[in-house]
Amino acid sequence: MSFRFHQYQVVGRALPTPTNESPKIYRMKLWATNEVRAKSKFWYFLRKLKKVKKSHGQMLAINEIFEKKPTTIKNFGIWVRYQSRTGYHNMYKEYRDVTLNGAVEQMYDEMASRHRVRFPCIQIIKTATVPVALCKRENTKQFHDSKIKFPLTYRKIRPPTRKLKTTYKASRPNTFV
Amino acid sequence: MPFRRYVEIGRVALVNYGPQYGKLVVIVDVIDQNRALVDSPTIVRTQINFKRLSLTDIKIDISRNPPKKDLKAAIEKADVYNKWDSSSWGRKLIVQKRRAALNDFDRFKVMVAKIKRSSLIRKELSKLRKTQKA
């Protein structure tokens, strides 16, 4: 599974000066498509929070964070601050996925489709793995059933490889199972 | 017509698209409307879209998210692979595989066998026609 967004842990601080021998070290977890963008985003956020810029700061570490258990399904809650055409808003969204990167990718896709908000206008405030009892959205809660059972209605059958695709078929397809 | 094959925990499905094409997998958990967690003794537990699965009639008895060895034991107990190979769908797939693996000599042998078979049938048919005419 290749993700568009990778999660990075970025650690940086201001450069030491004669007045401040050991400046405070700041660590951030953020999502970006690659390491270079992650470092850039780090300075973007840090500038907004502290009086430090890339020009007088130093990057101490950048590590990619991988999912601990990609074989279990989790409910992810994502708190988002986004810029719409009229102003800034906060949102809380829930996703069911196997990895946090997958959930974040779902979030970006959903924000783009439902609210026409693109990547630069979205800030992830917080993410958390939400236990089943604390999920808020009906959309995720409907899958919290250990005896879940539903049929697959309207099955479009497709060829097993793109190579076997044809424009015309000899007979009409059967979409029942 | 009611639905007979449901997406449920323990449903055996055939992967019909992608790198795992042709494998029998068991639905171990449902992620959301479009995706399920599937597992099989030969693969790592992964998520897969329902579009890539063809549900079968076989269902095994497992709890949600079982450990791998429980899954293996349940598959053994339900005798999934034998049931599959003896089902009509499974048998058709075996024949398809055999036909795809024929070499030129095998195809020649098949042609000869088909000619022999059809000539026997035609002989019997002509005999019946003669007795009918008479």
Side-chain angles (χ1 to χ4, degrees):
Chain A
M1 264 250 67
S2 66
F3 298 107
R4 205 153 57 99
F5 299 103
H6 300 263
Q7 188 184 10
Y8 295 98
Q9 168 190 265
V10 190
V11 185
R13 66 167 190 177
L15 285 168
T17 61
T19 48
N20 189 358
E21 287 293 309
S22 49
K24 252 213 178 104
I25 303 177
Y26 297 102
R27 178 187 92 113
M28 263 197 97
K29 283 202 234 175
L30 33 87
W31 274 267
T33 45
N34 54 39
E35 281 191 13
V36 175
R37 284 182 152 177
K39 286 193 265 187
S40 169
K41 255 305 192 246
F42 172 77
W43 290 120
Y44 165 78
F45 282 119
L46 208 55
R47 262 204 327 267
K48 292 187 178 298
L49 299 168
K50 301 286 161 192
K51 199 95 161 110
V52 57
K53 288 172 143 186
K54 183 175 172 207
S55 54
H56 55 264
Q58 58 185 180
M59 191 68 60
L60 295 173
I62 172 161
N63 311 101
E64 187 165 355
I65 299 174
F66 298 99
E67 184 72 27
K68 242 199 193 101
K69 280 210 184 143
T71 54
T72 55
I73 300 172
K74 299 164 256 311
N75 308 293
F76 294 103
I78 304 181
W79 286 258
V80 178
R81 175 175 184 255
Y82 73 99
Q83 182 180 24
S84 72
R85 294 178 192 145
T86 35
Y88 282 88
H89 309 272
N90 293 330
M91 246 189 204
Y92 166 71
K93 289 191 155 291
E94 268 178 18
Y95 297 101
R96 247 174 97 73
D97 204 316
V98 154
T99 62
L100 183 49
N101 286 348
V104 163
E105 198 166 332
Q106 271 186 287
M107 184 275 290
Y108 279 117
D109 287 343
E110 192 178 342
M111 291 303 282
S113 61
R114 290 219 151 99
H115 307 281
R116 306 295 193 241
V117 178
R118 286 138 198 124
F119 178 78
C121 302
I122 294 174
Q123 299 172 1
I124 299 177
I125 302 169
K126 178 173 137 177
T127 62
T129 315
V130 184
V132 164
L134 297 175
C135 283
K136 279 175 64 179
R137 306 286 184 238
E138 279 307 316
N139 237 337
T140 50
K141 292 204 314 204
Q142 69 180 338
F143 293 102
H144 294 154
D145 178 4
S146 65
K147 293 192 178 42
I148 193 165
K149 177 173 163 175
F150 54 88
L152 293 172
T153 61
Y154 196 73
R155 304 287 277 150
K156 282 171 75 175
I157 309 154
R158 53 180 181 173
T161 52
R162 295 289 310 275
K163 229 187 178 148
L164 298 169
K165 189 171 84 137
T166 57
T167 324
Y168 299 101
K169 301 276 178 209
S171 50
R172 290 184 122 230
N174 176 14
T175 56
F176 177 75
V177 183
Chain B
M1 301 168 297
F3 291 101
R4 272 173 289 118
R5 295 176 187 158
Y6 290 85
V7 168
E8 50 197 330
I9 293 168
R11 173 68 56 183
V12 174
L14 183 70
V15 178
N16 60 28
Y17 194 94
Q20 318 282 4
Y21 176 68
K23 295 206 177 119
L24 274 182
V25 292
V26 178
I27 294 176
V28 146
D29 202 352
V30 171
I31 300 175
D32 60 22
Q33 187 190 342
N34 296 321
R35 296 175 293 162
L37 246 198
V38 294
D39 204 359
S40 154
T42 55
I43 64 169
V44 178
R45 193 170 286 194
T46 50
Q47 64 171 355
I48 192 167
N49 195 316
F50 288 126
K51 288 186 181 178
R52 294 192 174 192
L53 290 179
S54 299
L55 305 178
T56 66
D57 288 321
I58 308 170
K59 180 182 176 314
I60 65 177
D61 190 20
I62 51 168
S63 57
R64 192 180 72 91
N65 260 339
K68 195 96 174 193
K69 58 179 175 65
D70 288 3
L71 178 71
K72 282 189 185 161
I75 289 177
E76 290 288 305
K77 189 154 161 275
D79 208 13
V80 167
Y81 293 110
N82 284 334
K83 269 207 207 134
W84 175 246
D85 289 337
S86 56
S87 73
S88 58
W89 188 354
R91 276 184 283 136
K92 273 188 253 174
L93 285 186
I94 292 172
V95 167
Q96 276 176 16
K97 281 207 186 79
R98 271 229 73 200
R99 287 211 178 124
L102 292 175
N103 65 29
D104 189 59
F105 186 41
D106 289 329
R107 271 175 272 142
F108 175 76
K109 284 190 273 184
V110 169
M111 177 191 76
V112 165
K114 274 192 183 167
I115 290 171
K116 269 216 181 83
R117 178 170 175 260
S118 61
S119 75
L120 284 174
I121 291 171
R122 285 231 199 91
K123 275 203 203 110
E124 286 303 315
L125 189 60
S126 63
K127 271 192 223 159
L128 280 172
R129 277 216 198 98
K130 278 212 196 101
T131 54
Q132 234 223 358
K133 248 198 220 163

